[in-house]
Amino acid sequence: AESPAANGAASCKDLRGSRGAMEASHRELLISKPNGAAKIAPAPSASGFARSESHISSSSAIIIEAEACRQRYKRLHPKDCADDEKDYKTLVHTLTQERLSAIFKTKIGEGACKTGLCGLKEEQARVYFNVYGKNEITPPKRENIWIKLLRQTFLGIFNILLWSCVIAEVALIVIFSGEGSGEETHHSGKGKPEEGPDYVTPIILSAVIVMAALLQWYSELKAESQMEAMQKLQAASKVPTVRMDHGRRVDLELDPLNLVPGDIIFLQAGDRIPADVRILHCTDGTEVDNSALTGESMPEPRHNKTEPVTCPPPEARNLAFFGTTVLKGNATCIVHATGDATFLGKIAQGIKSSRVKSTLEIQIEHFVHIIAVVAICVGLLSLLANLLSPVKRGPAEILQNSAAALFAQVPEGLLPTVTISLMIASDQMASRNVIVRKIDAVETLGCVSVFCSDKTGTLTTGEMATQDLVVPSGAASFSLEVYNRDRDSGLFKSQKLLEDIATCGVLNNGAEIKVDGGEERWTGSPTEVAILRACAEVTGGPAATATLKQRPENFKTFEIPFNSENKWMLTIHGDQNVGYFAILKGAPERVMKYTTLQSDPSIVGKVEQQLQDLMGQGRRVLCIAKKDLDPNDVPKGGKFEGTNATDCNFPMKDFRFVGLYGIEDPPKKGVAEAVVDAQKAGVKVVMVTGDHPDTARAIAGRINILGSAVETPANEAEQLQGATEFSVITGVMLDTRIPKGDNFTDEEPEENVKWWRKAVQHTRVFARVSPIHKQVIVQAYQKYGYNGIGDIVAMTGDGVNDAPALKQAEVGVAMGQRGTEVAKDASDIVLHDDNFSSVVKGMEQGRLSSENLQKSIMYTLCSKVPQVAPTFGELFGVPQALTVAQVLLIDIGTDIWTAIAYALQPAESKLMERPPRHPRHEKMVNCKVLVYSYGYIGQLQMLFCWLMFFWATPGMWDLYLSGKSPNDYSPEDFVTDTMGMTVYYWTLVLGQIAAAVSTTTKLQSVLGFGTSPYCFPNTTLNLMFVGEVVMGLAAIYLNPIQQAFKTGWIPTRSVLLPVVAFIGITIADEFRKAFGRSLE
C-alpha cells in the first residue's frame, strides 16, 4: 500500500498544470454535512462528521487528499474501465482484506470487527463524503408541476389545433368587430341585420381545453402523491456502523444516505443492504435474496473468501448489493460503492432515456391530421359557396361563416372525453389497488398484444412454500406416498404417515415463528420457513409446534448448521436420561448416502425417480433422515463435536430415510385464470425471467403460458409443434442475437432477423436472461412481432433487472410491495397489491376506454355533414337552414356533454373475445369510422333534416319555389325562414340522439333484435339525451335563447314530425348490426 505522502506527491504533480480542475474540485467539496447518531460519545466529533482538530486545514491539502482518494478508488476497477462506465465493473471481490484496507485507508479489525479499533477515521469519512456524495441513486428528473400544467394545456397536437381555432375566432372578432358594427343596416327596411361578433365560441372552447388539462394534471399529481406515500412506508432503517475518532472506537447508527466507501457496517437477517458491500466476515449459512437483481427465486449463499478474477461481480459470493436483503445469518461488511456507482445505480442510470410514444398519442396525432385536412377543405368550400351564394354578405360575415364551417368539423368534445374517460378508468383501477401514473397508459393497455412478465414476485408469490411431502409407505415392499396441499384450504392435512416427517422438519429447522397480537411472524431462511410452515400445518399450528419443541426428549443438544460444503444440516436432540436421536436434512444426493437405503439399489432407484418427477415440476427437493443413537455411539458426557462427516465424534451412517420436501416459489392465486383470460382476448403472455429454464418451464406449464388449450388458433398450435426449439429460450442463446446499437434497425443480419421472427412468434418462456436481455426481448417484439408491424408490449416486473424492459415497453407495470424504486420509476402503472390478475382487468378497462373514445368520435362526427350542408344548399336557392350560432349550440351546448358521457359506457358482450386493436394496423379513426359517420349516419341525418325542413315547416316549400333572395324577404318570409331553421336544428338534435343510441354498440342490438338487448345501461348518457331534448325545446320556446341563437316558435306538428328522424335512424342501424352479426 502506498503511503499518504506518496499519494499526495503524485496528486500534486497531476494538479500543478490544472488550476481550474483544482478549483472545480474545491467547489465540489462545499456541500452540506451529513449526520449520524452515535451510541457512545467519547468526543464531540462522534455525533456526525464534525472535523477533528488534527484534520487537514488547508483547502489545497483537502483537494489533494480528495484527488488521492479518487486515484485509490480507481484501483477497484479494471484498467479499461472509463470514468463514465455504464456497465458494472469492479475488482473488489478479487482483492484481499489487507489490500482493501490500504485502498480505503480503513482499519479492518480481527474477526467480525465487533471490538477494538475499526473503520474509517471521522476526518477521512468527511473527505470521502465530499468526494462521493450522498448514498442515493439520482432520482429521475421530475417536471415542475406548473410547467407540466402549462405543457398539458398548450402543447399536444390536438390542443394546438383547438387553440388555433380559438386564436382564429378571436382574430376575426378583433379584425371585423368595428366593420361589422358600422355596417349593420336594414335592406329596404326588410333586411335582417348582420350577426354580431361571436364571443361565446372562443370562451367556451378555451374553458373546455383548460378544464381538460386541469383534470389530467390533477389525476397524474394524485398518482404521484400515492407513489410518494408508498415510498415513505418503505423508508430504510439506520445502519450499525463503526468508525474511529481521536483513537477511540465509535459505534454509530447511520442513516444509509451518509454511508461512504470504506465504512464498516454490520448486517443481520431481515436487513435491506444499504450499499454495495464486500463481506469481511459472516456466519455459516448466510444467505441473501438477490431476486430483485437477478430474477433468481432461490436464496444465494454468501462467504468472505476472495474470488478469482474470472468471476463476474454479480456472481461473486463475497459481495452483496444495494437493495437486496439478508435472509439468514449475520455479516460484517465494508462498503465499496454507493449511490449511482452501485450495481442498482448503474441500471437506474441506464434507463433515463425518453419513453416511447403512447398509442393514444399516435392515435390523436393521426386523427388531428385527418380532421385538419377535412376542416380546411370544408372551410375553403364554404368560402367558395358564400362567395357564389345569391345571398349578399359582407366580407366579415363571409369569413365568419367559412371559419364557423371549418371549426364545426373539429370535435371540441374529444379532449375532455379522452381525459375524463381515462380518469374514470384510472379511478376504477385504483379501487383494485392499481396506481396509474400516466393516464394515457390505460388506453395503451387496451391495445397490448403481448404481455412480457417477470416470474419471481409477479407471476409467483416470491416466497418459498413446501408443495409436496413424500414419505415411505408399505410394510411388505418399499413405496413412496406423495401428499399435496388440500385444494380448498391450501393447507396440508394431518395424516398418520406425515407425523414423522413433520416432527423432524420442526426440530431440524433454523426458522422461528412468533405470534404477536394474533399475527404470525416467520423469520429465517425462506427454505427453512417453507418447511416449518408445512410441518406446523400437519402438527396442528404454531402452538402445537412450540409444544413439540419444548418437550424434554426433543431438546436440541447439538447442531451442525447448513453450509455450502456439507450441503446438509444436522441436529441432535434428547439427553442422557431419555437417549439421543439425530436428524439430517439437506441435498438428497448428500443425505441419501448416509441412509440404510444405499444397500438396496432398487429402492434408491424409486427415490431417484421421485426426485426427477419433483424436479421436473420445478421443485427444489430436500431429503430428511433420522437415527436413534445407540448409547455406545454417544460421546462421553453427551458432548457432541464436529463440523462435517469426517470429524464428528459420533457415527454418520445408518440413518433411516424419513422423506422428501418438494419446495417452490408457487404461482399466485388467480394467475393461471388471468393468463387464460388474456389469451382468450388474443394477447400472448410471455414469461421473461432470470431463473433456471427447468423451473421457468414448470411454472409456465402450470399457469397456462405453455401448453394452453386456448392459446390461439389451431394453425398457430401446429406451428408451435414444429418449433419446439423456440418454446423456451435461454440467455446464452440470446447473446449472439443482441443488436449492435441501442435498438434493432433495418440493417440487422438476415440470419438474426429470421431467428427473431421465429422467436417472437413461438417463444413463450425466456429463462436465465439478464436485464439487457429483457430489454432486447421487448424491442424484438416491438420490431418483428405482429407479422412485422410490431407488437404493442406491456412489461410487468418488480426488480431492478426488470427496469430497462419496463422503460422500453409501451406500458411498464411495476409491483408496489416487492418492487424496487428503480422499477417503479421506470413504470407507467404500479400494482399496489402485486396482483397480476389486476393487469388483465386493467387491459379490459383499457379496451373499454379505447372503444368508448372511438364511439364518442363516431358520434361527434355524425353531425358534421348536416351542419355544413346548408352552406352549399344556398347555391341552389334553398333558404338558410342553419346559422353559425345554431351549429355552436349543437356542438358546445349538447354534443360535447353527450360525447363525454360515453366515458361511462359499459362494455359490449364480446369486448374481451376480440383480438386487440393494433394502433398501427387499425387506427382509432379509420376508414370504417369515417364511412360510418360521414357516409352513413351523417347522410341519414342530412336526409331527414332536409325532409323536415321542407315538410314540417309551414310555408317553406312555397318560399323555396318563390325563388326570392334573402335580401328581398318580407317580415313574413323571415318568420318562415326562422321556423325552417328551427325545424332543421330540432331534427338534427333528434338525429344526434339517434346517432348516440346507435353508436353505443357496434354489433350488439340495442333493442334486442335477434340477440340479447344492450338497452340503455349508461344512466349519465340517458340524462344527456333528456338534456338535449330540454335544450332543444328551450331553444324553440324560450325568448332569451331564441334571441341568442336565432331560433323561433314552431307549431306542435313541427315538433312531433322530426321524431321520425330518430326512429328511422335507429331502426336503420339495427338492421345494419343484424347484417354484421350474420357475417361473423
Side-chain angles (χ1 to χ4, degrees):
E2 301 83 347
S3 67
N7 284 325
S11 301
C12 283
K13 185 176 180 180
D14 293 336
L15 292 169
R16 283 192 192 110
S18 180
R19 181 176 181 84
M22 185 181 292
E23 292 175 352
S25 297
H26 180 63
R27 287 193 298 271
E28 184 183 2
L29 300 179
L30 301 178
I31 60 176
S32 61
K33 298 181 182 181
N35 296 314
K39 288 183 179 177
I40 62 171
S45 61
S47 58
F49 290 95
R51 292 177 179 268
S52 170
E53 293 178 0
S54 60
H55 187 58
I56 302 170
S57 57
S58 94
S59 60
S60 297
I62 293 175
I63 296 170
I64 292 170
E65 175 62 18
E67 184 60 26
C69 174
R70 290 190 185 93
Q71 295 301 322
R72 290 196 304 272
Y73 191 68
K74 286 182 178 180
R75 294 171 197 159
L76 296 175
H77 302 90
K79 292 182 180 179
D80 62 345
C81 184
D83 291 339
D84 59 348
E85 181 66 55
K86 293 182 179 179
D87 293 333
Y88 187 74
K89 295 181 178 180
T90 183
L91 298 174
V92 69
H93 57 296
T94 68
L95 304 178
T96 63
Q97 293 189 14
E98 292 76 15
R99 182 68 171 150
L100 290 172
S101 177
I103 289 174
F104 288 113
K105 297 181 70 175
T106 188
K107 184 174 178 59
I108 300 176
E110 297 294 330
C113 298
K114 295 292 186 179
T115 59
L117 293 177
C118 299
L120 292 169
K121 294 180 180 178
E122 286 281 4
E123 56 266 28
Q124 288 173 327
R126 173 72 181 180
V127 173
Y128 286 8
F129 184 85
N130 290 339
V131 171
Y132 302 113
K134 289 184 178 181
N135 176 33
E136 63 179 351
I137 295 173
T138 304
K141 190 174 181 181
R142 297 288 176 90
E143 187 178 22
N144 181 279
I145 60 172
W146 302 113
I147 293 177
K148 175 186 276 191
L149 177 60
L150 290 174
R151 176 176 57 78
Q152 291 174 342
T153 305
F154 296 103
L155 300 183
I157 190 164
F158 195 73
N159 294 57
I160 292 172
L161 177 65
L162 294 179
W163 281 120
S164 300
C165 294
V166 172
I167 292 170
E169 286 273 11
V170 172
L172 288 173
I173 293 172
V174 171
I175 293 171
F176 295 109
S177 59
E179 180 181 339
S181 61
E183 289 183 359
E184 287 185 1
T185 58
H186 292 273
H187 299 281
S188 303
K190 303 174 184 179
K192 189 165 59 175
E194 293 187 4
E195 298 173 8
D198 175 17
Y199 296 104
V200 179
T201 301
I203 292 173
I204 294 181
L205 195 52
S206 300
V208 166
I209 302 170
V210 173
M211 288 304 297
L214 282 170
L215 286 172
Q216 181 178 352
W217 179 70
Y218 169 75
S219 179
E220 294 186 2
L221 281 187
K222 186 169 70 172
E224 289 299 324
S225 66
Q226 289 174 324
M227 288 290 297
E228 290 172 4
M230 196 159 53
Q231 290 171 2
K232 289 177 182 178
L233 292 175
Q234 300 173 348
S237 56
K238 294 187 179 294
V239 183
T241 310
V242 61
R243 286 183 180 162
M244 299 184 295
D245 189 55
H246 290 90
R248 300 186 66 181
R249 176 188 176 96
V250 182
D251 286 292
L252 303 166
E253 291 285 336
L254 280 184
D255 189 305
L257 290 175
N258 296 333
L259 290 175
V260 296
D263 265 330
I264 292 178
I265 64 174
F266 305 100
L267 301 173
Q268 61 183 4
D271 287 347
R272 177 161 287 197
I273 298 169
D276 281 7
V277 299
R278 161 72 186 274
I279 298 173
L280 303 175
H281 175 272
C282 64
T283 55
D284 288 340
T286 296
E287 294 178 344
V288 295
D289 177 10
N290 275 354
S291 60
L293 293 176
T294 65
E296 290 274 8
S297 58
M298 298 301 297
E300 296 187 16
R302 284 297 178 262
H303 58 63
N304 65 340
K305 299 174 184 177
T306 303
E307 297 280 8
V309 178
T310 55
C311 178
E315 297 178 14
R317 295 195 168 184
N318 61 2
L319 298 182
F321 302 101
F322 183 25
T324 61
T325 306
V326 180
L327 295 176
K328 180 182 177 183
N330 302 318
T332 301
C333 311
I334 182 171
V335 175
H336 72 84
T338 58
D340 291 338
T342 60
F343 188 19
L344 190 151
K346 289 288 185 183
I347 295 176
Q349 297 307 308
I351 60 172
K352 290 190 175 178
S353 58
S354 59
R355 177 167 292 285
V356 295
K357 187 179 289 187
S358 73
T359 59
L360 183 61
E361 291 171 315
I362 295 171
Q363 298 304 297
I364 295 297
E365 187 174 328
H366 174 258
F367 177 58
V368 167
H369 290 158
I370 292 176
I371 289 302
V373 171
V374 171
I376 290 171
C377 290
V378 168
L380 291 174
L381 290 173
S382 176
L383 177 64
L384 184 63
N386 273 272
L387 291 173
L388 298 177
S389 172
V391 180
K392 303 303 178 184
R393 295 186 175 93
E397 191 175 0
I398 290 174
L399 280 176
Q400 283 184 349
N401 286 349
S402 302
L406 187 151
F407 300 150
Q409 300 305 308
V410 179
E412 302 88 348
L414 178 63
L415 193 61
T417 301
V418 169
T419 304
I420 293 174
S421 176
L422 296 180
M423 279 186 65
I424 290 169
S426 176
D427 287 342
Q428 290 176 343
M429 292 175 73
S431 66
R432 298 187 179 119
N433 291 316
V434 181
I435 301 172
V436 180
R437 301 183 63 207
K438 191 178 179 185
I439 63 172
D440 60 359
V442 175
E443 191 275 340
T444 307
L445 195 57
C447 298
V448 164
S449 55
V450 171
F451 265 130
C452 289
S453 178
D454 177 44
K455 179 183 75 69
T456 306
T458 306
L459 299 173
T460 63
T461 62
E463 296 179 355
M464 305 304 291
T466 302
Q467 299 294 95
D468 313 278
L469 295 176
V470 183
V471 294
S473 65
S477 62
F478 181 89
S479 63
L480 293 171
E481 192 79 25
V482 181
Y483 290 88
N484 303 111
R485 294 179 176 275
D486 180 69
R487 287 191 175 183
D488 296 329
S489 65
L491 304 174
F492 283 104
K493 290 185 176 180
S494 180
Q495 304 275 349
K496 182 69 176 176
L497 278 176
L498 296 180
E499 288 180 1
D500 205 10
I501 194 173
T503 301
C504 290
V506 169
L507 299 179
N508 183 283
N509 203 302
E512 294 287 340
I513 176 174
K514 295 180 181 178
V515 180
D516 185 11
E519 183 180 352
E520 298 176 1
R521 295 180 58 190
W522 303 78
T523 58
S525 164
T527 304
E528 296 284 78
V529 169
I531 293 174
L532 185 58
R533 279 181 184 270
C535 295
E537 290 168 10
V538 175
T539 57
T545 300
T547 303
L548 183 66
K549 295 175 74 172
Q550 290 168 3
R551 290 177 184 171
E553 64 270 23
N554 294 334
F555 177 74
K556 185 161 67 176
T557 306
F558 178 72
E559 176 181 3
I560 299 178
F562 179 91
N563 60 61
S564 56
E565 292 182 3
N566 292 336
K567 291 191 176 180
W568 47 256
M569 171 185 181
L570 180 137
T571 56
I572 296 178
H573 305 265
D575 57 35
Q576 291 182 332
N577 295 324
V578 298
Y580 295 92
F581 63 91
I583 302 175
L584 184 67
K585 181 186 71 187
E589 68 276 11
R590 296 294 183 93
V591 174
M592 287 288 291
K593 68 182 182 180
Y594 299 119
T595 67
T596 56
L597 298 184
Q598 288 298 108
S599 60
D600 191 336
S602 64
I603 294 178
V604 172
K606 290 181 180 180
V607 176
E608 288 181 347
Q609 181 60 50
Q610 187 62 57
L611 281 171
Q612 293 302 319
D613 291 345
L614 290 175
M615 289 189 289
Q617 298 175 48
R619 307 285 202 266
R620 181 189 182 189
V621 184
L622 293 184
C623 179
I624 193 163
K626 180 180 179 183
K627 178 182 180 180
D628 292 319
L629 295 177
D630 188 272
N632 296 328
D633 295 333
V634 178
K636 187 177 180 180
K639 294 183 179 180
F640 296 92
E641 296 177 353
T643 58
N644 54 56
T646 59
D647 65 1
C648 289
N649 61 351
F650 54 91
M652 284 286 292
K653 61 180 182 179
D654 297 333
F655 279 80
R656 175 174 57 85
F657 174 77
V658 173
L660 302 172
Y661 300 102
I663 306 167
E664 70 168 357
D665 175 14
K668 287 181 178 176
K669 186 177 181 180
V671 166
E673 293 79 7
V675 170
V676 170
D677 289 342
Q679 291 169 344
K680 286 181 178 178
V683 179
K684 294 178 184 177
V685 181
V686 180
M687 180 188 291
V688 184
T689 178
D691 217 336
H692 193 279
D694 291 342
T695 305
R697 188 192 299 269
I699 295 294
R702 290 170 56 192
I703 60 176
N704 301 311
I705 289 179
L706 284 177
S708 173
V710 295
E711 173 65 65
T712 10
N715 60 344
E716 182 163 340
E718 293 171 5
Q719 292 171 352
L720 282 170
Q721 291 176 5
T724 53
E725 69 273 20
F726 282 96
S727 63
V728 178
I729 288 178
T730 63
V732 174
M733 299 166 67
L734 294 177
D735 286 336
T736 58
R737 309 292 181 179
I738 294 176
K740 295 180 180 179
D742 293 335
N743 207 331
F744 288 97
T745 63
D746 294 334
E747 283 74 40
E748 296 298 323
E750 186 63 27
E751 181 185 354
N752 281 5
V753 172
K754 289 180 179 178
W755 189 90
W756 274 115
R757 283 177 178 166
K758 288 184 178 180
V760 299
Q761 182 182 4
H762 301 304
T763 306
R764 295 297 179 270
V765 175
F766 292 88
R768 276 281 191 258
V769 293
S770 68
I772 299 304
H773 287 152
K774 291 189 175 188
Q775 185 177 17
V776 169
I777 290 165
V778 172
Q779 291 171 342
Y781 276 104
Q782 292 171 332
K783 176 70 174 178
Y784 303 113
Y786 213 88
N787 298 321
I789 298 175
D791 279 302
I792 304 300
V793 182
M795 176 71 195
T796 63
D798 63 341
V800 177
N801 59 325
D802 302 317
L806 289 171
K807 188 79 171 182
Q808 179 66 42
E810 278 85 359
V811 182
V813 184
M815 303 296 115
Q817 295 178 5
R818 281 180 52 91
T820 61
E821 294 307 315
V822 175
K824 294 173 190 173
D825 285 334
S827 67
D828 305 289
I829 293 173
V830 177
L831 302 182
H832 202 294
D833 59 353
D834 291 7
N835 192 342
F836 176 79
S837 304
S838 299
V839 190
V840 179
K841 293 293 184 184
M843 180 181 70
E844 181 178 4
Q845 194 66 51
R847 285 194 183 187
L848 179 59
S849 298
S850 178
E851 191 96 341
N852 287 343
L853 285 175
Q854 189 177 54
K855 291 175 180 178
S856 175
I857 291 171
M858 290 166 62
Y859 160 76
T860 305
L861 295 181
C862 287
S863 65
K864 303 309 175 186
V865 173
Q867 283 178 359
V868 77
T871 301
F872 302 101
E874 290 182 3
L875 294 174
F876 303 99
V878 177
Q880 186 176 6
L882 205 65
T883 66
V884 174
Q886 289 161 4
V887 170
L888 176 66
L889 182 59
I890 293 170
D891 283 349
I892 303 294
T894 56
D895 276 7
I896 189 171
W897 312 113
T898 305
I900 291 172
Y902 273 85
L904 294 166
Q905 197 69 19
E908 292 184 55
S909 58
K910 294 185 178 181
L911 179 65
M912 291 300 287
E913 296 177 20
R914 301 196 297 262
R917 179 184 58 80
H918 196 294
R920 288 188 285 272
H921 178 65
E922 182 186 353
K923 304 293 186 183
M924 183 181 290
V925 181
N926 50 39
C927 291
K928 292 180 181 178
V929 171
L930 295 177
V931 169
Y932 180 89
S933 297
Y934 289 132
Y936 171 50
I937 297 293
Q939 298 299 321
L940 287 176
Q941 286 181 339
M942 182 180 68
L943 176 66
F944 279 110
C945 284
W946 283 127
L947 179 63
M948 294 301 133
F949 180 74
F950 288 108
W951 183 35
T953 307
M956 180 55 68
W957 185 251
D958 294 333
L959 179 63
Y960 170 64
L961 293 177
S962 69
K964 288 184 181 179
S965 167
N967 303 96
D968 300 325
Y969 280 176
S970 66
E972 292 77 13
D973 294 335
F974 276 120
V975 171
T976 300
D977 190 20
T978 301
M979 290 175 63
M981 287 189 288
T982 305
V983 169
Y984 192 100
Y985 159 76
W986 173 240
T987 305
L988 183 51
V989 168
L990 295 178
Q992 273 298 85
I993 296 175
V997 172
S998 299
T999 53
T1000 52
T1001 65
K1002 290 185 176 179
L1003 288 177
Q1004 187 177 355
S1005 172
V1006 176
L1007 304 177
F1009 292 168
T1011 183
S1012 58
Y1014 183 77
C1015 296
F1016 300 89
N1018 187 348
T1019 304
T1020 304
L1021 185 62
N1022 298 338
L1023 290 175
M1024 292 302 105
F1025 294 160
V1026 174
E1028 287 197 46
V1029 171
V1030 170
M1031 177 62 76
L1033 292 174
I1036 296 172
Y1037 295 113
L1038 291 183
N1039 187 60
I1041 300 179
Q1042 289 177 346
Q1043 295 297 322
F1045 295 101
K1046 308 298 185 289
T1047 58
W1049 176 92
I1050 57 176
T1052 304
R1053 174 179 176 276
S1054 300
V1055 173
L1056 296 177
L1057 278 177
V1059 176
V1060 173
F1062 170 79
I1063 297 172
I1065 293 172
T1066 303
I1067 297 300
D1069 203 56
E1070 284 292 300
F1071 280 113
R1072 178 197 66 82
K1073 291 171 183 175
F1075 179 72
R1077 290 194 301 273
S1078 68
L1079 298 178
E1080 284 190 323

